[in-house]
Amino acid sequence: MSEQIKIFDTTLRDGEQSPGATMNVAEKLRIAEQLEQLNVDIIEAGFPISSEGDFEAVKAIAKKIKRSQVAALARTDRKDIKRAWEAVKYAKLPRIHIFIATSDIHLAYKLRMTREQVLKDAVRAVRYARSLCKNVEFSAEDATRSDINFLCRVFSEVILAGATTINIPDTVGYAVPSEFGDLIRTVRQRVKESEKVTLSVHCHNDLGLGVANSIVAIQNGARQVECTINGIGERAGNASLEEIVMALRTRKDLLGFQTRILPRHIFATSRLISKITGMVIQPNKAIVGANAFAHQSGIHQDGVLKEKLTYEIMTPESVGIPKSSIVLGKLSGRHAFRERLKDLGYRLPEADLQRAFSQFKQLADKKREIFDEDIESIVVEEILRMPHRFKLIYINVVAGNITVPTATVQMDVDGKLIQEAGFGDGPVDATFKTIKKITRTKSKLLQFAINAITSGTEAQGEVTVRLEEKGQTVIGQGADTDVIVASAKAYINALNKIEFKKQKLVGM
Ligand code: KIV
Ligand code: ZN
């Protein structure tokens, strides 16, 4: 029997720290349900002290999730740990995850603490957490740039204080595989107490080595890997869950490890994260990118037609990529719609189902074939996006080569209807300027992109915008058969995310 590797998913915590990715409670809950379906061992649901929203999200996830462990992050302060426990204690399998930096760089410039102080804090924190919860993880932030003697000393002491998992993060994605493998082996050899606990790694991707480092760590004794769907996360992101899992599975002959992940749910999970965060998946992204299983050259196509093994090391079906995603049309009824939603992993309460179905009917009037992607858009836009400060009620845009582009927009702002008109250099510019006037917001547009969700001229346009306000960036998305309406929806979605972000109290 091959050894089992625990998959610790931190999409909802480290993933949410991706520039632009912000999720509300309903969105996080939906993702957590999907992660449970994917069968991840541990879901890191958030950092409860960081905001009221994070606290509520962790609590809601803890109450809902039954099969996966639910982890909440905390610094070593007593009030952080208490807050984490207050949120996660409802879980069937709760975990408190404590971290403090151990590198001299972090100690000198960020924490302004001595090594002795850090050690004392870490031990005190783990002891306190253990008095609340029997499942406690300790992370030595910036472990890969820490003095190895100090790192091992900290790990020994926190294990004696009750830590059940010790985590070695490559916080800044600095390590290269050979040295990271050596580090894991050294910790295992020198920290005798580590035999009794799970050794974990958490790799960032600044040098594009997050997955390679995770795999080499497993080969050297790590039995838990921390990762995110689509590899989203702080800066260049975290090691990607789907890449680690499929590498272990595809190269089981060489590596000899397995996970409990059900790969057939990978694709749907990846799509859900992308839709909710607004972070588009690059087409050549391994496993889940649009081109991951596309064969372009004639020689490759010929080979695959003769025998898939020639150029395919795994099948698209194994990661849940559907053969065709055309699903429904104008004549499809509620029952077919509900069944399709179920296949896509959405089980909606009756009232939400009704709302989604009526949106579907409206879309089917404009568009002959409704694809899975269209249905996902409806669910994310109409159901998961909770009522926000700003809502689009009406938009009319006049544009052409001999008129000054003009937008008339009506919006609901905190429950009050406001209408304005404005000009711009083009229809999108006029729309955004008018929305800005109505909402009295000051954000700067950093990026604007349009994509067709599916093929054909009647396809829905999906617009992604990136806005910045006072150093905070957010990504907004909107879809519609009319790209100007999609643009307005994306812009308003981003403005609402900025409002949501303003509620956050502490960052990391
Ligand atoms: O990258 C990091 O060090 C972290 C820790 C909190 C585990 O995210
Ligand atoms: Zn991290």
Side-chain angles (χ1 to χ4, degrees):
M1 253 306 258
S2 47
E3 259 193 89
Q4 193 98 276
I5 303 300
K6 287 187 197 146
I7 299 294
F8 176 114
D9 179 278
T10 182
T11 306
L12 295 171
R13 201 276 300 168
D14 227 350
E16 204 202 14
Q17 288 174 220
S18 305
T22 309
M23 304 169 230
N24 65 34
V25 176
E27 289 167 341
K28 286 188 174 179
L29 191 57
R30 171 68 200 107
I31 290 175
E33 286 170 340
Q34 183 65 27
L35 291 171
E36 187 177 43
Q37 201 167 36
L38 185 63
N39 226 16
V40 307
D41 296 278
I42 303 110
I43 298 172
E44 185 162 53
F47 183 25
I49 193 112
S50 70
S51 72
E52 203 47 47
D54 243 37
F55 179 85
E56 289 307 326
V58 175
K59 191 165 148 188
I61 291 167
K63 286 185 174 173
K64 186 90 192 183
I65 298 300
K66 298 287 175 254
R67 295 196 310 276
S68 307
Q69 294 180 36
V70 180
L73 186 69
R75 291 169 297 193
T76 50
D77 306 5
R78 203 178 163 90
K79 63 177 187 329
D80 267 50
I81 300 168
K82 192 160 174 273
R83 193 81 178 135
W85 178 241
E86 276 165 8
V88 84
K89 67 181 177 194
Y90 300 95
K92 188 155 179 240
L93 303 164
R95 175 183 290 200
I96 298 178
H97 178 190
I98 292 168
F99 76 100
I100 190 164
T102 49
S103 70
D104 288 338
I105 301 174
H106 279 234
L107 265 61
Y109 301 108
K110 186 183 83 172
L111 298 176
R112 297 186 199 286
M113 286 168 82
T114 63
R115 288 186 182 179
E116 289 312 309
Q117 286 168 329
V118 165
L119 179 64
K120 217 165 127 195
D121 259 27
V123 168
R124 197 191 303 126
V126 169
R127 206 168 277 140
Y128 176 51
R130 259 316 284 265
S131 73
L132 304 170
C133 177
K134 60 180 192 306
N135 184 356
V136 174
E137 171 168 338
F138 173 80
S139 285
E141 191 190 6
D142 206 19
T144 49
R145 293 190 301 168
S146 301
D147 172 70
I148 184 70
N149 295 322
F150 180 56
L151 187 65
C152 290
R153 195 167 151 224
V154 172
F155 282 145
S156 295
E157 300 271 338
V158 294
I159 295 171
L160 292 173
T164 45
T165 299
I166 53 167
N167 183 34
I168 308 180
D170 184 21
T171 304
V172 289
Y174 180 68
V176 296
S178 52
E179 75 172 331
F180 196 56
D182 287 348
L183 173 63
I184 308 308
R185 203 173 45 251
T186 307
V187 169
R188 247 183 68 214
Q189 284 164 356
R190 290 188 35 191
V191 181
K192 288 285 158 264
E193 300 78 5
S194 69
E195 281 167 15
K196 293 181 240 135
V197 301
T198 304
L199 191 56
S200 168
V201 292
H202 173 113
C203 300
H204 278 268
N205 211 26
D206 299 65
L207 295 173
L209 295 170
V211 173
N213 282 335
S214 305
I215 300 288
V216 88
I218 291 170
Q219 291 178 294
N220 283 280
R223 290 297 173 264
Q224 171 180 291
V225 283
E226 304 196 351
C227 43
T228 60
I229 301 293
N230 300 339
I232 66 169
E234 192 83 67
R235 306 179 309 279
N238 291 56
S240 127
L241 181 148
E242 62 278 9
E243 292 176 23
I244 295 175
V245 167
M246 291 314 285
L248 292 178
R249 195 176 136 104
T250 309
R251 296 311 314 274
K252 197 166 167 201
D253 58 321
L254 178 84
L255 301 169
F257 297 100
Q258 63 183 27
T259 70
R260 290 175 353 114
I261 296 296
L262 303 172
R264 64 176 187 279
H265 295 300
I266 284 180
F267 186 66
T269 312
S270 157
R271 289 277 297 275
L272 180 73
I273 305 302
S274 171
K275 280 244 121 254
I276 287 180
T277 59
M279 297 190 66
V280 178
I281 302 165
Q282 73 193 60
N284 60 329
K285 163 86 178 63
I287 319 294
V288 291
N291 296 348
F293 293 91
H295 302 281
Q296 185 71 15
S297 96
I299 297 174
H300 288 211
Q301 286 173 353
D302 180 55
V304 171
L305 285 173
K306 286 178 177 144
E307 170 53 61
K308 281 189 179 156
L309 267 179
T310 50
Y311 288 102
E312 264 184 24
I313 57 167
M314 57 200 152
T315 64
E317 299 82 54
S318 66
V319 293
I321 297 179
K323 279 213 165 69
S324 154
S325 74
I326 301 178
V327 279
L328 304 170
K330 203 173 165 162
L331 300 176
S332 308
R334 254 171 71 93
H335 182 69
F337 182 70
R338 187 207 309 263
E339 287 308 303
R340 194 59 215 157
L341 278 179
K342 264 200 217 154
D343 291 346
L344 291 172
Y346 297 102
R347 279 171 186 75
L348 301 182
E350 204 45 43
D352 288 347
L353 178 76
Q354 191 48 46
R355 260 170 65 209
F357 184 63
S358 83
Q359 288 297 322
F360 158 74
K361 280 292 190 190
Q362 282 178 33
L363 184 62
D365 274 340
K366 299 187 210 159
K367 204 169 172 285
R368 211 160 24 93
E369 290 167 327
I370 306 288
F371 295 76
D372 285 348
E373 292 88 333
D374 296 316
I375 294 187
E376 282 168 347
S377 258
I378 290 175
V379 176
V380 172
E381 287 204 3
E382 302 297 327
I383 311 297
L384 291 182
R385 281 189 193 156
M386 300 180 80
H388 289 297
R389 280 200 67 200
F390 310 129
K391 212 170 152 203
L392 178 69
I393 304 291
Y394 160 91
I395 177 164
N396 184 41
V397 176
V398 183
N401 60 351
I402 50 162
T403 47
V404 178
T406 312
T408 308
V409 181
Q410 190 181 69
M411 288 179 67
D412 178 326
V413 177
D414 294 330
K416 233 174 92 190
L417 284 186
I418 306 180
Q419 186 164 314
E420 278 287 356
F423 307 113
D425 290 337
V428 173
D429 188 45
T431 302
F432 288 1
K433 280 186 175 144
T434 311
I435 292 172
K436 227 170 158 176
K437 215 189 302 177
I438 293 176
T439 54
R440 295 164 187 258
T441 47
K442 302 216 171 349
S443 51
K444 197 168 133 203
L445 179 69
L446 301 181
Q447 203 187 330
F448 172 84
I450 303 186
N451 244 317
I453 296 189
T454 52
S455 53
T457 50
E458 56 170 30
Q460 290 205 88
E462 182 174 60
V463 173
T464 305
V465 296
R466 190 183 280 266
L467 299 187
E468 190 258 337
E469 192 182 308
K470 291 190 186 143
Q472 297 272 25
T473 56
V474 292
I475 297 171
Q477 268 197 340
D480 200 278
T481 46
D482 181 324
V483 290
I484 304 300
V485 178
S487 306
K489 285 182 177 175
Y491 195 77
I492 293 168
N493 176 233
L495 291 180
N496 278 319
K497 284 189 175 178
I498 289 182
E499 293 301 306
F500 182 73
K501 251 192 159 169
K502 283 182 189 161
Q503 297 162 12
K504 296 238 167 201
L505 302 177
V506 233
M508 276 183 57

